[in-house]
Amino acid sequence: MVSIAGITGVILFLEIRDSLYMPPADHGSQKVAPWNDPKVRSVVFQFVALITLGYFFYTIFQNTLANMERRGITTGFAFLGNEAGFGILMSLIPYDETYTYGRTFFVGLLNTVLVAGFGIVLATVIGFIIGVARLSNNWLIAKAAMVYIEVLRNIPLLLQIFFWYFAVLQALPSPRQSIAFGGIFHLNNRGLYFPSPIPEAGFSYVIWTLVVAVIGVIWLRRWARRRQEITGQQFPVVWVSIALIVGAPLLVFALTGAPLAWDHPSLQRFSFGGGGRMIPEFMALLWALTMYTAAFIAEIVRAGIQSVSHGQTEAARALGLRNSPTLRLVIIPQSLRVIIPPLTSQYLNLTKNSSLATAIGYPDLVSVFMGTTLNQTGQAVEIVGMTMAVYLTISLLISMFMNAYNKKIALTER
Amino acid sequence: MKKITIGLLGATAAFSMMMGSVQAGTLDDVKRKGSLTCGVSTGLPGFSNANSKNVWSGLDVDVCRAVAAAVLGDAGKVKYTPLTAKERFTALQSGEIDMLSRNTTWTHTRDTSLGINFAGVNYYDGQGFMVSKNLGVKSATELDGAAVCIQAGTTTELNLADYFRLKGMKYKAVVFDTSDQSVKGFESGRCDVLTSDQSQLYALRIKLANPGNAVVLPEVISKEPLGPVVRQGDDAWFNVVKWSLFAMVNAEELGVTSGNVDSMKSSANPGVKRLLSGDAGKKLGLNSDWGYNIVKQVGNYGEAFERNVGKGSALKIGRGLNALWSKGGLQYAPPIR
Ligand SMILES: N[C@@H](CCC(=O)N[C@@H](CS)C(=O)NCC(=O)O)C(=O)O
């Protein structure tokens, strides 16, 4: 171990030294021996460093396995194929006790992705609204936004989760005394119950109409933009899009005789059964993550908007743009360049913070897989490794996506 | 917090395993440190619970105290590490604690694949259900469709699934990290049922704002032999923990109590002599007064039982399965000879 570290150290030193004392780039026709050629040297050293590093991790891995074996701790991934034997409160894919531990991994993973995905979208929307409100000329709105930001980002997230879960959602009435909204939705301390749709024959037409409408809208936007560039004429894209996407499927729905039935939840011995249901654990976690992250996003948005110089606003005014188009067409596009990089870190934070789910029993990856599955099988190293790999992958995907978006909106010099 | 702890424990476990350090025997370690680090629950009245002055007491705590009395001659020299069900085995594997005494069920998987050994059974338990009175449920067979609060990382989770599957019933498991949270969930009505080892239900019931509102159903759906746990591969330490517990049970059988142990020292009964003096201690690597210290400072098994979970406590649990074998129970210790 020590020797490996030593070798790595020496190589790093040589590399640094090489990069510091790099001779002038142009050697002319001068012949250099390969071991003195900085190019060859750096490639060789980097290669050796890579091999050493690889060997280092390989040794750690083998050592760990061997030591665990010696201590009588089972290792390997065979457990993933064994029957799990425990129930999970909420699953997006079919699951019951007879499925495998491997399946519990995916159940937890999807629950994590679900809460993080919704959280990112909601936090972005709310964060933008509050960030803009913070700069409002209306004193009341600006101060309200400021209070929101200061309160929410200064209270630890875990406390906020507990607050929403134990103080708000658990204080709701029991199923028998549910709060009913028009007899359709039922809210109680077991969650929000709603009718779930059951498609009947002919419903696929509605779906297909929707797909065609979406494609149509994409085409329409391109056409409208090109027309505006050529002729300067504007086309009411937004209204026509909404009409197409909402109206066309509705029309087909009516024409095919409303081929959709609803499964209404009904009160049973202990609680509601049938229909769809949003569990309070999900609501509390989603809400807390959203509100908390939105406070940070609002500050980022504010900073972004303020970074656009006032001259831009004045220029827009001089062109005759009103308030809202100025914001939408001039300020926001420029401020996005400042907003996107820190926004990415907020998305990453939100995703990682979603693992606080275990505190209130929302069955996310950490709670299900690194919690129950780990405890039933005891294979800590494998399971913690897999879980870390998942968070790393999700984070890298978000970063990649956001970086690509950042590139796209970056200032293109003409 | 919990997550961070478990992460740290995991990292320590992985790291110490990586290094493959050959630890000195735990017995020498404890003697050198002058204190025993014992893993207990985060708070379960009767078994391991801290009062407002952070003094721990309970049946499980008494096992820790007995081991400290045997090894260090002072039952007070214990450092308690509160652990949730999820954290406990990692804490033991990584060497963070010297022993675990936290209402832990002895099962095949745990014994064979976690690198740990169970050093006996200090409480024979079984899983039960607690429901709120106004539901009017009389039997566990009426629980179809119920929402059930349980604690993560327990045998309870698996038994529950088995039982409901066997009876062809459905349930919704709401899984919490600590018993405080599950009790809160039960109290606020998030679940209809709280399930756990039956003794623990009685213990948790006294934590409720209104204990009279909850009833424990008659069904016992599993076997839960609870006992102290040590790391595998350290036989000397395994013996010390095992025989400290056996000494308590043997003392009860021989009629030696914390009250009469001084006069019993001169007893003519050879069994009593071997417990209180003699060379049994030396064979364990301890002083010859190890048994005396246990009985004097902690008491025999029966005393510990009555004080913590029996008549002398708020739980008022009868001896039942935990009576001595000679009184119709299961508590039976191999002889000291
Ligand atoms: N005996 C079972 C269950 C043990 C258990 O953790 N029970 C809960 C009762 S709800 C407990 O003691 N909680 C106390 C704590 O979280 O510290 C096992 O070994 O898995």
Side-chain angles (χ1 to χ4, degrees):
Chain A
M1 286 280 282
V2 176
S3 62
I4 298 175
I7 294 174
T8 323
V10 168
I11 290 172
L12 281 179
F13 169 76
L14 287 175
E15 272 212 80
I16 292 167
R17 199 198 56 177
D18 265 12
S19 61
L20 285 179
Y21 298 105
M22 194 74 103
D26 188 19
H27 297 292
S29 54
Q30 228 176 303
K31 262 248 163 38
V32 205
W35 55 88
N36 274 336
D37 184 340
K39 264 229 180 82
V40 175
R41 263 171 88 149
S42 89
V43 167
V44 167
F45 280 136
Q46 294 201 27
F47 185 71
V48 175
L50 195 73
I51 299 266
T52 325
L53 208 65
Y55 181 71
F56 177 68
F57 283 116
Y58 175 77
T59 325
I60 288 186
F61 186 70
Q62 288 300 323
N63 231 337
T64 310
L65 290 190
N67 280 313
M68 294 206 320
E69 209 78 65
R70 220 185 48 218
R71 290 191 183 192
I73 300 173
T74 312
T75 56
F77 288 93
F79 72 96
L80 289 172
N82 297 348
E83 187 182 293
F86 63 89
I88 301 179
L89 187 56
M90 168 182 149
S91 173
L92 297 176
I93 45 177
Y95 175 85
D96 64 42
E97 298 82 51
T98 57
Y99 280 87
T100 61
Y101 284 125
R103 187 77 166 193
T104 66
F105 172 78
F106 289 106
V107 172
L109 174 62
L110 286 177
N111 286 345
T112 291
V113 171
L114 182 77
V115 77
F118 273 105
I120 285 177
V121 173
L122 285 178
T124 310
V125 173
I126 298 179
F128 262 81
I129 293 174
I130 297 194
V132 172
R134 178 95 166 72
L135 295 172
S136 167
N137 291 328
N138 182 321
W139 185 86
L140 196 65
I141 292 182
K143 282 288 171 279
M146 192 191 83
V147 169
Y148 173 93
I149 292 169
E150 292 309 329
V151 169
L152 276 124
R153 69 176 183 164
N154 287 314
I155 297 177
L157 178 56
L158 187 59
L159 278 184
Q160 297 192 29
I161 294 178
F162 279 147
F163 173 78
W164 291 112
Y165 186 63
F166 284 114
V168 178
L169 292 176
Q170 294 300 296
L172 289 171
S174 68
R176 247 152 269 279
Q177 277 100 42
S178 292
I179 309 170
F181 300 97
I184 296 173
F185 295 98
H186 303 271
L187 183 66
N188 56 50
N189 61 10
R190 304 294 167 80
L192 178 69
Y193 292 79
F194 49 85
S196 58
I198 311 169
E200 288 169 354
F203 190 72
S204 57
Y205 293 118
V206 182
I207 303 285
W208 282 115
T209 316
L210 184 69
V211 171
V212 171
V214 168
I215 296 175
V217 164
I218 295 175
W219 180 83
L220 181 77
R221 293 185 61 136
R222 284 226 189 117
W223 170 82
R225 158 164 290 206
R226 216 174 315 129
R227 193 176 77 140
Q228 189 180 354
E229 272 167 13
I230 297 171
T231 66
Q233 280 172 308
Q234 289 196 343
F235 187 81
V237 180
V238 176
W239 297 114
V240 176
S241 301
I242 293 177
L244 266 179
I245 288 183
V246 178
L250 270 183
L251 191 71
V252 174
F253 183 68
L255 285 180
T256 48
L260 194 64
W262 294 93
D263 177 16
H264 285 274
S266 60
L267 196 58
Q268 291 171 359
R269 181 148 171 50
F270 292 105
S271 184
F272 281 88
R277 164 175 181 232
M278 202 192 275
I279 56 174
E281 289 75 20
F282 176 76
M283 293 193 274
L285 182 67
L286 177 63
W287 196 233
L289 284 174
T290 302
M291 303 282 276
Y292 179 76
T293 315
F296 288 91
I297 292 182
E299 280 297 271
I300 292 172
V301 168
R302 179 180 67 103
I305 291 177
Q306 283 180 334
S307 75
V308 180
S309 88
H310 194 59
Q312 297 284 328
T313 317
E314 282 166 358
R317 286 279 149 75
L319 286 175
L321 290 183
R322 270 171 289 114
N323 258 343
S324 139
T326 307
L327 196 64
R328 197 159 43 82
L329 298 172
V330 180
I331 312 286
I332 302 266
Q334 297 189 70
S335 61
L336 274 184
R337 294 184 196 118
V338 178
I339 292 176
I340 297 298
L343 190 63
T344 309
S345 351
Q346 289 308 323
Y347 289 175
L348 299 182
N349 282 346
L350 189 145
T351 309
K352 288 178 284 179
N353 285 340
S354 73
S355 61
L356 287 170
T358 52
I360 53 168
Y362 173 70
D364 80 325
L365 184 67
V366 171
S367 164
V368 169
F369 193 62
M370 214 172 93
T372 305
T373 301
L374 195 162
N375 270 282
Q376 305 302 355
T377 61
Q379 300 203 256
V381 174
E382 292 85 351
I383 289 180
V384 174
M386 281 173 76
T387 310
M388 292 200 307
V390 163
Y391 280 96
L392 189 67
T393 311
I394 296 181
S395 295
L396 287 178
L397 285 177
I398 293 178
S399 288
M400 254 166 61
F401 177 78
M402 294 299 282
N403 285 344
Y405 182 61
N406 199 21
K407 247 208 201 108
K408 197 174 149 240
I409 60 161
L411 202 65
T412 35
E413 310 261 346
R414 272 189 267 213
Chain B
M1 247 302 282
K2 288 282 129 64
K3 199 176 37 115
I4 297 173
T5 332
I6 208 170
L8 281 180
L9 290 180
T12 348
F15 200 67
S16 64
M17 281 182 262
M18 254 151 51
M19 291 305 145
S21 62
V22 190
Q23 288 170 324
T26 312
L27 179 57
D28 293 333
D29 263 6
V30 171
K31 282 183 183 164
R32 194 170 34 77
K33 284 188 299 183
S35 72
L36 170 77
T37 315
C38 202
V40 291
S41 80
T42 60
L44 188 65
F47 287 84
S48 42
N49 201 24
N51 67 11
S52 54
K53 295 194 194 71
N54 206 26
V55 176
W56 286 84
S57 65
L59 193 63
D60 285 340
V61 164
D62 278 347
V63 177
C64 307
R65 299 182 67 234
V67 173
V71 177
L72 303 166
D74 183 350
K77 289 193 172 153
V78 186
K79 287 197 180 117
Y80 298 97
T81 305
L83 298 165
T84 66
K86 273 162 83 173
E87 295 160 341
R88 56 186 156 175
F89 298 118
T90 325
L92 183 64
Q93 289 167 337
S94 65
E96 155 126 358
I97 54 176
D98 299 316
M99 61 179 283
L100 177 71
S101 184
R102 187 205 171 284
N103 49 318
T104 297
T105 306
W106 186 347
T107 68
H108 175 266
T109 310
R110 288 174 178 176
D111 205 352
T112 55
S113 63
L114 297 184
I116 59 176
N117 275 336
F118 284 81
V121 177
N122 69 332
Y123 192 99
Y124 289 95
D125 212 337
Q127 184 174 337
F129 298 101
M130 181 159 76
V131 295
S132 113
K133 235 179 206 155
N134 52 30
L135 272 182
V137 172
K138 291 276 170 303
S139 150
T141 53
E142 300 165 35
L143 291 179
D144 194 6
V148 187
C149 276
I150 40 175
Q151 199 167 341
T154 58
T155 48
T156 319
E157 263 186 298
L158 297 177
N159 299 331
L160 182 71
D162 284 357
Y163 181 76
F164 275 74
R165 186 142 45 115
L166 205 66
K167 299 275 177 206
M169 303 192 297
K170 286 211 177 324
Y171 70 100
K172 294 186 195 77
V174 188
V175 187
F176 291 103
D177 265 0
T178 69
S179 56
D180 277 346
Q181 288 166 354
S182 8
V183 169
K184 242 196 225 161
F186 177 69
E187 256 188 321
S188 67
R190 174 65 184 90
C191 352
D192 308 293
V193 189
L194 180 64
T195 181
S196 182
D197 301 347
Q198 227 177 25
S199 67
Q200 290 151 34
L201 290 178
Y202 290 108
L204 295 177
R205 189 165 69 165
I206 60 179
K207 276 192 173 182
L208 294 177
N210 190 351
N213 263 351
V215 277
V216 175
L217 298 179
E219 283 87 354
V220 174
I221 65 165
S222 70
K223 291 191 287 188
E224 307 287 333
L226 313 178
V229 197
V230 295
R231 274 182 294 280
Q232 193 172 306
D234 188 346
D235 288 355
W237 181 244
F238 183 34
N239 284 342
V240 167
V241 176
K242 191 161 55 178
W243 283 96
S244 297
L245 176 59
F246 288 158
M248 290 174 76
V249 178
N250 275 322
E252 181 180 10
E253 203 179 326
L254 293 165
V256 187
T257 66
S258 53
N260 69 11
V261 65
D262 285 306
S263 56
M264 280 296 217
K265 252 181 155 173
S266 47
S267 159
N269 184 337
V272 174
K273 274 200 182 126
R274 280 194 295 268
L275 173 67
L276 299 180
S277 47
D279 65 353
K282 199 161 348 115
K283 290 179 188 153
L284 288 169
L286 305 173
N287 292 336
S288 59
D289 59 356
W290 70 288
Y292 169 82
N293 285 338
I294 291 177
V295 182
K296 177 77 187 170
Q297 299 180 22
V298 184
N300 68 34
Y301 179 78
E303 287 178 88
F305 190 97
E306 298 301 352
R307 178 173 65 226
N308 293 308
V309 298
K311 289 189 213 78
S313 73
L315 274 69
K316 307 263 181 286
I317 301 176
R319 285 297 287 269
L321 289 178
N322 294 293
L324 288 181
W325 62 283
S326 49
K327 305 231 171 80
L330 292 175
Q331 286 295 349
Y332 182 109
I336 298 177
R337 65 161 58 254

